[in-house]
């Protein structure tokens, strides 16, 4: 069965392609390579034995999408393509709204035209905004994300909900990821941020490899057990399996929302400590002021995904740091 994977050469998309192939699906990638490299498809082949068909193209280009739908009998779409840097979205709101929202609209229109009505969308825990209660559960009202990136995810969720209200023959799954980290255990694919990493794990591995001198831990006076922020880290291979579970889930004529997280909160200092155990030495790090916009603590209630899709995380923090480090060590310059 052919699955169109938008943004399939990116971090989560590439791991999902491996899992799709492993489960007998045929992923077809469309990616404009604004944040990834085509060599990823070679690596996917090295891992899984099959190279996904690759279309170089932008999802805002209707002609390309129509060509893809005409040339391939696509069953479903997994929609990863988008811009994802929270801080950058504050300085480039128009680019983020254009890419993420307009891109999703063009994709949905092309799907409708091709009569492909099953979509799995990469949403984010950011749509919860600030909630009075932790863990976050899907029945909570969404909040008010404070930046264009988060708003773009919330708007796309609303667009998909409105689409379903109007046309009940769609099958729509909104997956709200918590904090994806880790890499495929082969060390052949992983997260390859351009420039200075925004996220904790790639920053840690770049310090470990000697690319950056020291990790700044943002804030030590939060109301958390050790004063640093608490998040729900999820191994990218567990996340990839969550997409296949969503594909296998009987969701015809329905819209469903799932949190994809481990259900467990981990502090920044706990991540560093787990990393140091695998690394075998101390990591240079220092406390720095709080980063604007960071929430003190949140994690997922992931019971719904377990009950309905039979999915739950299997990999632990130890696997996440080990695989992140293995990827970085084997690819000091990322994909070259
Ligand atoms: P990524 O940047 O590694 O992958 C996104 C891919 O989409 C890249 O390969 C990029 O080149 C491509 N792309 C971007 N705009 C495009 C366009 N207009 N047309 C075609 N291709 C385009 O990011 P990722 O971490 O793999 O994230 C995938 C999705 O999951 C994104 O939508 C992101 O917002 C969402 N998400 C990510 C996280 C995270 O922490 N990584 C958390 C929650 C949600
Ligand atoms: C994790 C913790 C930082 C870097 C972001 C997006 C979210 C989702 C996932 C897309 C925080 C601390 C970080 C550093 C640090 N993405 N930190 N030093 O902010 O929880 O979530 O990615 O949807 O929307 O906001 O992830 O990895 O940036 O931070 O101390 O150099 O690590 O303060 O507590 P975050 P992160």
């Amino acid at each position: 069965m052919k699955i169109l994977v938008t943004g399939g050469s990116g971090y989560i998309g590439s791991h999902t392609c491996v899992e799709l192939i492993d489960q007998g699906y045929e992923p077809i990638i469309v990616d404009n390579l604004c944040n990834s490299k085509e060599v990823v498809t070679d690596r996917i082949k090295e891992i899984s034995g099959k190279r996904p068909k690759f279309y170089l193209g932008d999802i805002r280009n209707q002609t390309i999408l129509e060509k893809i739908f005409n040339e391939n009998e696509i069953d479903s779409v997994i929609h990863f393509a988008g811009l994802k840097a929270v801080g950058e979205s504050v300085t480039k709101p128009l680019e983020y709204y254009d890419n993420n929202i307009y891109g999703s609209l063009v994709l949905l229109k092309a799907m409708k035209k091709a009569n492909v009505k099953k979509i799995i969308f990469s949403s984010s825990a950011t749509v919860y905004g600030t909630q009075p209660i932790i863990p976050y559960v899907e029945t909570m009202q969404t909040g008010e994300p404070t930046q264009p990136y988060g708003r773009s995810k919330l708007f796309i969720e609303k667009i998909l909900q409105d689409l379903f209200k109007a046309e009940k023959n769609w099958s729509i799954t909104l997956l709200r990821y918590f904090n994806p980290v880790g890499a495929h255990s082969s060390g052949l694919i992983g997260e390859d941020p351009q420039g200075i990493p925004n996220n904790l794990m790639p920053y840690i591995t770049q310090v470990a490899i000697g690319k950056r001198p020291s990790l700044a831990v943002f804030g030590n006076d939060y109301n958390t057990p050790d004063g640093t922020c608490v998040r729900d880290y999820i191994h990218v291979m567990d996340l990839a399996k969550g997409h296949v579970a969503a594909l296998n889930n009987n969701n015809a004529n329905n819209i469903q929302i799932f949190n994809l997280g481990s259900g467990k909160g981990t502090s920044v200092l706990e991540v560093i400590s787990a990393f140091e155990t695998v690394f075998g030495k101390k990591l240079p790090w220092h406390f720095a002021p709080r980063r604007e916009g960071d929430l003190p603590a949140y994690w997922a209630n992931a019971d719904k995904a377990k009950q309905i899709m039979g999915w739950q995380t299997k990999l632990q923090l130890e696997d996440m740091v080990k695989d992140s480090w293995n990827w970085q060590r084997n690819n000091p310059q990322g994909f070259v």
Side-chain angles (χ1 to χ4, degrees):
M1 196 180 279
K2 293 180 180 167
I3 313 297
L4 179 63
V5 185
T6 75
S9 45
Y11 172 45
I12 305 170
S14 57
H15 290 80
T16 302
C17 284
V18 167
E19 195 55 33
L20 284 169
I21 294 169
D22 202 48
Q23 297 298 315
Y25 289 101
E26 195 181 324
I28 296 174
I29 296 176
V30 58
D31 201 299
N32 66 1
L33 300 180
C34 70
N35 199 34
S36 59
K37 301 205 173 77
E38 196 179 337
V39 66
V40 168
T41 59
D42 297 336
R43 301 289 182 89
I44 294 172
K45 183 173 178 211
E46 229 177 306
I47 297 169
S48 63
K50 287 191 183 146
R51 184 196 309 273
K53 195 167 180 181
F54 179 84
Y55 286 88
L56 175 61
D58 196 298
I59 56 160
R60 289 165 293 184
N61 180 340
Q62 195 179 331
T63 314
I64 285 271
L65 292 182
E66 283 177 6
K67 178 177 152 70
I68 297 171
F69 284 115
N70 284 336
E71 287 180 0
N72 306 279
E73 211 172 297
I74 307 279
D75 177 76
S76 316
V77 175
I78 306 184
H79 178 29
F80 293 106
L83 301 176
K84 64 161 181 176
V86 173
E88 185 186 61
S89 78
V90 176
T91 56
K92 297 180 176 172
L94 298 182
E95 277 182 37
Y96 271 68
Y97 289 132
D98 186 64
N99 201 331
N100 295 3
I101 298 180
Y102 176 63
S104 298
L105 287 175
V106 176
L107 174 68
L108 289 167
K109 284 197 265 182
M111 287 178 68
K112 186 173 167 173
K113 195 165 175 193
N115 202 28
V116 175
K117 298 203 167 171
K118 184 166 175 178
I119 183 165
I120 295 166
F121 171 61
S122 298
S123 190
S124 168
T126 192
V127 300
Y128 287 106
T130 313
Q131 298 284 344
I133 298 169
I134 307 167
Y136 292 174
V137 61
E138 295 89 342
T139 46
M140 284 173 169
Q141 288 284 329
T142 48
E144 177 57 45
T146 52
Q147 18 71 28
Y149 167 75
R151 283 200 194 104
S152 76
K153 290 288 164 188
L154 188 57
F155 286 162
I156 300 165
E157 283 204 359
K158 303 270 185 220
I159 288 167
L160 288 164
Q161 283 160 346
D162 286 342
L163 173 62
F164 183 73
K165 264 186 220 149
E167 300 179 22
K168 295 278 189 294
N169 60 350
W170 283 74
S171 161
I172 300 174
T173 310
L174 311 179
L175 298 180
R176 293 178 179 161
Y177 314 157
F178 281 66
N179 285 56
V181 295
H184 190 265
S185 58
S186 62
L188 286 166
I189 53 174
E191 190 171 7
D192 182 19
Q194 307 302 301
I196 302 169
N198 300 304
N199 298 110
L200 179 63
M201 194 63 87
Y203 207 104
I204 288 179
T205 60
Q206 290 200 5
V207 170
I209 203 83
K211 240 178 150 171
R212 319 219 166 255
S214 174
L215 168 76
V217 174
F218 300 138
N220 62 356
D221 57 355
Y222 285 101
N223 185 16
T224 58
D226 65 20
T228 64
C229 292
V230 170
R231 294 287 181 273
D232 185 337
Y233 296 94
I234 169 171
H235 195 293
V236 67
M237 286 311 296
D238 275 335
L239 187 59
K241 287 185 168 68
H243 291 77
V244 178
L247 212 48
N248 293 340
N249 181 31
N250 182 9
N251 190 35
N253 308 321
N254 201 5
I255 181 162
Q256 285 183 303
I257 304 177
F258 296 103
N259 285 341
L260 295 185
S262 70
K264 189 173 173 291
T266 303
S267 75
V268 177
L269 293 186
E270 285 172 324
V271 175
I272 295 173
S273 167
F275 186 83
E276 286 176 338
T277 303
V278 163
F279 187 43
K281 27 183 180 168
K282 290 276 169 210
L283 186 83
W285 65 268
H286 59 281
F287 282 122
R290 291 180 175 197
R291 183 173 67 178
E292 204 189 319
D294 276 344
L295 297 178
Y298 61 87
W299 56 91
N301 173 325
D303 293 351
K304 187 178 173 192
K306 186 175 175 192
Q307 279 157 12
I308 295 182
M309 304 197 293
W311 173 91
Q312 62 184 321
T313 59
K314 298 220 167 69
L315 298 166
Q316 307 299 322
L317 181 60
E318 188 191 354
D319 305 298
M320 304 180 205
V321 292
K322 178 168 62 72
D323 292 334
S324 297
W325 177 228
N326 186 42
W327 151 254
Q328 180 77 73
R329 209 178 25 185
N330 287 323
N331 306 269
Q333 304 307 326
F335 292 109
V336 281

